[in-house]
């Protein structure tokens, strides 16, 4: 699936991944390939991206949309 992580300033990440773990406002959740469509708010915490290699981004809140194997993260800020 394709993942994009965007802040108001710039695009942080764009590429193919196999799994992404998010810090939802109601708890942590993971998205895999062919996941059902969803929109969720993000709390403060780690976004863990698993693909060719594992990367971790710390998000300060935002929104994630999953639709047709495309995952779009609109983050307030990434550190």
């Amino acid at each position: 699936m394709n993942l994009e992580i965007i802040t108001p300033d710039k695009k942080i990440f764009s590429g193919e991944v196999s799994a992404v773990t998010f810090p939802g406002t109601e708890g942590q959740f993971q998205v895999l390939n062919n996941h059902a469509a969803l929109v969720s708010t993000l709390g403060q915490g780690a976004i863990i991206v698993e693909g060719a290699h594992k990367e971790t981004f710390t998000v300060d809140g935002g929104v994630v949309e999953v639709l047709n194997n495309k995952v779009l993260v609109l983050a307030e800020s990434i550190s």
Side-chain angles (χ1 to χ4, degrees):
M1 69 187 153
N2 186 270
L3 170 68
E4 284 190 88
I5 301 175
I6 301 170
T7 66
D9 300 329
K10 63 182 177 177
K11 186 181 290 188
I12 303 296
F13 180 92
S14 181
E16 287 293 315
V17 299
S18 57
V20 188
T21 304
F22 294 104
T25 53
E26 298 295 321
Q28 188 178 55
F29 64 97
Q30 186 174 54
V31 173
L32 301 172
N33 202 26
N34 296 317
H35 197 284
L38 75 88
V39 174
S40 180
T41 55
L42 300 175
Q44 187 175 22
I47 296 175
I48 303 166
V49 177
E50 296 176 48
H53 58 283
K54 192 172 182 177
E55 290 186 65
T56 302
F57 303 94
T58 302
V59 65
D60 290 330
V63 176
V64 60
E65 177 191 50
V66 179
L67 183 63
N68 298 327
N69 273 337
K70 294 180 182 173
V71 181
L72 176 62
V73 178
L74 303 175
E76 293 175 18
S77 67
I78 299 278
S79 54

